[in-house]
Amino acid sequence: MELSLNKEDIRDSVISAYISKIYELKSNMDETGILVYRGEAQNFKNSACQPNIFRKFNLDVEKNVEINILNTMLSNKYAIDSSYFETAIEAQHGGFPSRLLDVTYNALIALFFAATPHYTEKEDSYDEESSVVYLFDIPKMYSPASSDVRSLYDNLLKDDSPLRTENLFSNTYKLLDHSSQNDRIIAQQGALILFYGNKPFSLPKRIQSKLTICATLKKQIREELSSLFNINMGTMYPEMTNNVTNILSKIKNINAMPFSYINEIKLLIIELKIECEHRKEVFKNYQASSSIEKVKIFDGIFDPINIFKNALILALKNPKFKIERKELNSLLKDYNLYVSNLHTYLDNRFEIQAPSIHNLLIDIEKHAEATEND
């Protein structure tokens, strides 16, 4: 869903008008996961909400980019933590390229960043351009302090990592909770989205909403945020802070699944299920102008399954996975079970015949034997 905040919407306070718009957007989201926000001082459109490393480098061609940046930071003592992941967080907030994207749990802080450029630029640099606040409803969250997340990030630093080279993972991302060791993230009530792959991609439309902010409102937004909520350049970029966040309220949402390729694929299957369920609901509410158009939209529900199936079979041939036969069989059974259930539910339900189930399922025995023989 997309809305706009314009001068005509303002009665007394721009902040109150903004909050009303946020509530309207929230009411049209499922809110089944973790709600986070991101403000961008420009309406980038084609490159919105993408980590800056994808804008600056072609990771398919330029090798060792990320690890060289982190090693240089460590050698110059720009970071105090020896782990690559914590160093990447410092890099992100020091202006260095990374595959991390900043988000916040606070809608007002997202509004601040929509009205204010990076602290290295003049406050009114983009006051003649519209800006955007994005809302993301992300199903799961991971702890940045976990050794599993650090192992995952170390794997992503390798140019030949399947998490970067296989199409199966090309649109994969994870929401990471704030890092208590970084003062700026604490002040900004922030979290991070970690992107896989070597190329930029957009987060799924089903998890996001968008509020465009009129350019003429930016100055008033900064003034109200500072006077009413003490949200300004000084508080958003602190050198030290004693702010304490409520960790206990987030514990139940922390996903502690250890890092492994098999677990990454399992998570993708869950994501596939959510995407297909979303498409199913969109189809049921869609008013097609013709029966032919409705059949086309119906068949589109199965597109993610076909794409995922082909990518999965191709990826499993990669020797780096080293998946045991028992694990592989269990994984493929889960996939086939979900696909069968969805197919059974949809077939003829809307007086439309679903595509052949045999084209959607994976032959477990045949594929397992082929994998072992490779």
Side-chain angles (χ1 to χ4, degrees), residues 91-297:
Q92 170 73 6
H93 291 98
F96 292 92
S98 83
R99 60 175 59 247
L100 298 169
L101 185 75
D102 289 299
V103 291
T104 176
Y105 298 108
N106 190 320
L108 293 180
I109 290 176
L111 179 62
F112 169 80
F113 287 111
T116 315
H118 193 265
Y119 70 92
T120 57
E121 302 178 84
K122 290 184 178 180
E123 195 174 60
D124 59 356
S125 295
Y126 305 123
D127 277 9
E128 295 183 358
E129 302 179 45
S130 63
S131 58
V132 183
V133 170
Y134 294 90
L135 288 71
F136 298 109
D137 182 22
I138 300 181
K140 291 186 181 295
M141 178 175 63
Y142 298 78
S143 169
S146 165
S147 60
D148 302 319
V149 168
R150 296 183 184 221
S151 297
L152 167 65
Y153 185 78
D154 287 349
N155 189 281
L156 280 166
L157 291 177
K158 302 173 183 177
D159 289 326
D160 63 348
S161 167
L163 302 184
R164 288 173 54 179
T165 61
E166 291 289 347
N167 288 335
L168 180 65
F169 299 105
S170 59
N171 292 330
T172 304
Y173 60 93
K174 280 186 171 60
L175 173 65
L176 309 178
D177 194 19
H178 80 277
S179 171
S180 60
Q181 298 182 33
N182 187 285
D183 292 340
R184 191 177 297 171
I185 293 181
I186 295 174
Q188 297 171 5
Q189 298 180 42
L192 299 160
I193 299 178
L194 174 65
F195 283 64
Y196 292 22
N198 280 340
K199 293 182 174 65
F201 62 89
S202 299
L203 295 171
K205 292 292 184 184
R206 61 181 160 78
I207 70 166
Q208 62 176 287
S209 292
K210 175 181 177 180
L211 177 62
T212 302
I213 310 293
C214 177
T216 58
L217 299 176
K218 288 186 175 182
K219 186 175 185 294
Q220 184 180 350
I221 287 171
R222 291 193 297 268
E223 290 173 351
E224 288 191 21
L225 285 175
S226 184
S227 63
L228 297 174
F229 302 99
N230 194 32
I231 297 176
N232 50 52
M233 195 71 76
T235 57
M236 290 298 97
Y237 297 98
E239 292 185 359
M240 295 186 68
T241 182
N242 293 318
N243 292 337
V244 178
T245 57
N246 187 0
I247 296 174
L248 293 179
S249 64
K250 299 174 184 175
I251 286 179
K252 64 179 181 180
N253 292 315
I254 294 290
N255 188 303
M257 183 181 287
F259 166 67
S260 69
Y261 291 128
I262 191 75
N263 283 340
E264 290 296 322
I265 297 174
K266 287 178 180 177
L267 291 171
L268 285 174
I269 291 176
I270 294 172
E271 184 75 8
L272 173 71
K273 178 179 179 180
I274 296 171
E275 177 66 28
C276 289
E277 291 292 336
H278 169 73
R279 291 188 178 211
K280 184 176 69 178
E281 292 303 314
V282 169
F283 172 80
K284 286 194 291 187
N285 296 322
Y286 184 74
Q287 301 296 322
S289 58
S290 69
S291 58
I292 294 177
E293 182 182 359
K294 193 163 187 177
V295 170
K296 184 178 179 181
I297 299 298

Side-chain angles (χ1 to χ4, degrees), residues 59-100:
L59 298 182
D60 282 329
V61 176
E62 299 172 86
K63 304 301 181 182
N64 300 317
V65 169
E66 295 166 272
I67 199 165
N68 286 343
I69 291 173
L70 301 178
N71 283 335
T72 300
M73 289 187 65
L74 289 168
S75 64
N76 285 280
K77 299 182 179 180
Y78 292 152
I80 59 174
D81 194 293
S82 59
S83 77
Y84 280 131
F85 180 68
E86 288 292 342
T87 304
I89 294 176
E90 295 296 329
Q92 170 73 6
H93 291 98
F96 292 92
S98 83
R99 60 175 59 247
L100 298 169

Side-chain angles (χ1 to χ4, degrees), residues 118 148 172 275 280 295 311 324 336-337 350 353 356 372:
H118 193 265
D148 302 319
T172 304
E275 177 66 28
K280 184 176 69 178
V295 170
E324 296 292 334
N336 282 345
L337 177 62
F350 307 109
Q353 185 176 2
S356 172
E372 287 184 344

